[in-house]
Amino acid sequence: MKKEELALEIIKRLKEEYPDAGCTLDYNEAWKLLVSVRLAAQCTDARVNVVVEGLYQKFPSVDALAEADVEEIEKIVKPCGLGHSKARDISACMKILKEKYDGKVPDSFDELLKLPGVGRKSANLIMGDVFGKPAIVTDTHCIRLVNRMGLVDGIKEPKKVEKALWKIIPAEEGSDFCHRLVYHGREVCTARTKPYCDQCCLKDICGKVGV
């Protein structure tokens, strides 16, 4: 089976398995997803969702966060780890949104990459979830699973995985496909234990069962 055919079959089966999969970070405005994505680095989405509640109670808008002392932000986001650098990036990012974009999150991939603390993974998540544009989010689940499944061959660098997947994943499927990989990676194709291949909806087509 060619990689393109394998990709389409995997997409089809994961759709059936996780029909309602979506972003596991809670947000109701684009700027809040931008904040949460930065906090989620080396931290669980569940913890981020709890921490941001306190952050938004104190600083409920882009302007409020832009004007906040970095130290005040750091006190609140410290449970997410890397508190100082994350607080600094969030502060700088909100200042740019306020001063350059009228408080709005830009809908350009290249413009997003210019924001402090925003890399390709974060920019893709924003593009796909907020703006409904083609996106491939190469988080740890995505990288682990597409290597195991045989969609990419021993590629671990996020940007290279992303570029390889663009060649075989239909543009309109990329964002949802990556969300479903997160669900599948947490529930079945796990990292910290041996994957539960016997329970996997892909076990007959996976390229590296049990790896």
Side-chain angles (χ1 to χ4, degrees):
M1 191 184 292
K2 291 182 179 178
K3 281 187 169 60
E4 292 86 348
E5 295 170 334
L6 179 61
L8 291 176
E9 183 61 25
I10 290 172
I11 288 169
K12 173 176 168 289
R13 294 191 189 187
L14 290 181
K15 265 187 191 177
E16 294 169 354
E17 196 77 6
Y18 311 102
D20 302 318
C23 183
T24 51
L25 291 167
D26 295 337
Y27 71 99
N28 56 9
E29 296 179 73
W31 68 271
K32 290 182 178 179
L33 182 56
L34 202 55
V35 169
S36 289
V37 162
R38 181 65 189 99
L39 292 177
Q42 298 180 41
C43 181
T44 65
D45 290 359
R47 175 169 289 183
V48 171
N49 288 338
V50 172
V51 169
V52 293
E53 287 184 15
L55 184 66
Y56 302 146
Q57 281 177 0
K58 189 158 188 177
F59 306 112
S61 66
V62 170
D63 285 1
L65 259 182
E67 293 163 8
D69 289 337
V70 174
E71 291 78 12
E72 287 295 305
I73 298 172
E74 184 177 351
K75 283 179 190 173
I76 299 172
V77 304
K78 192 175 181 181
C80 293
L82 305 174
H84 183 68
S85 62
K86 289 179 179 181
R88 184 187 61 219
D89 284 344
I90 288 168
S91 175
C93 191
M94 295 301 114
K95 282 180 167 67
I96 292 171
L97 293 189
K98 178 185 176 184
E99 294 164 8
K100 186 174 180 181
Y101 296 106
D102 194 30
K104 305 288 194 303
V105 175
D107 63 354
S108 158
F109 188 80
D110 291 337
E111 291 299 307
L112 285 169
L113 286 180
K114 294 176 185 176
L115 296 174
V118 177
R120 295 186 68 86
K121 181 179 78 172
S122 302
N124 269 300
L125 184 67
I126 299 284
M127 291 299 286
D129 278 51
V130 173
F131 301 113
K133 296 187 177 181
I136 288 178
V137 181
T138 50
D139 64 5
T140 56
H141 291 292
C142 174
I143 294 169
R144 182 176 77 256
L145 268 63
V146 297
N147 271 282
R148 283 179 175 171
M149 293 169 179
L151 292 178
V152 302
D153 301 312
I155 307 173
K156 299 298 171 69
E157 187 182 321
K159 186 176 180 180
K160 289 182 178 178
V161 172
E162 180 193 330
K163 291 193 170 184
L165 291 178
W166 276 121
K167 295 176 183 176
I168 59 173
I169 305 292
E172 69 277 8
E173 298 285 359
S175 181
D176 288 341
F177 171 65
C178 291
H179 285 318
R180 292 186 175 104
L181 289 179
V182 171
Y183 281 66
H184 197 61
R186 287 175 179 169
E187 296 178 17
V188 179
C189 200
T190 51
R192 295 186 180 181
T193 64
K194 190 175 180 181
Y196 302 102
C197 296
D198 58 320
Q199 302 173 23
C200 183
C201 62
L202 308 170
K203 60 186 175 184
D204 61 313
I205 57 170
C206 180
K208 300 181 181 179
V209 173
V211 175

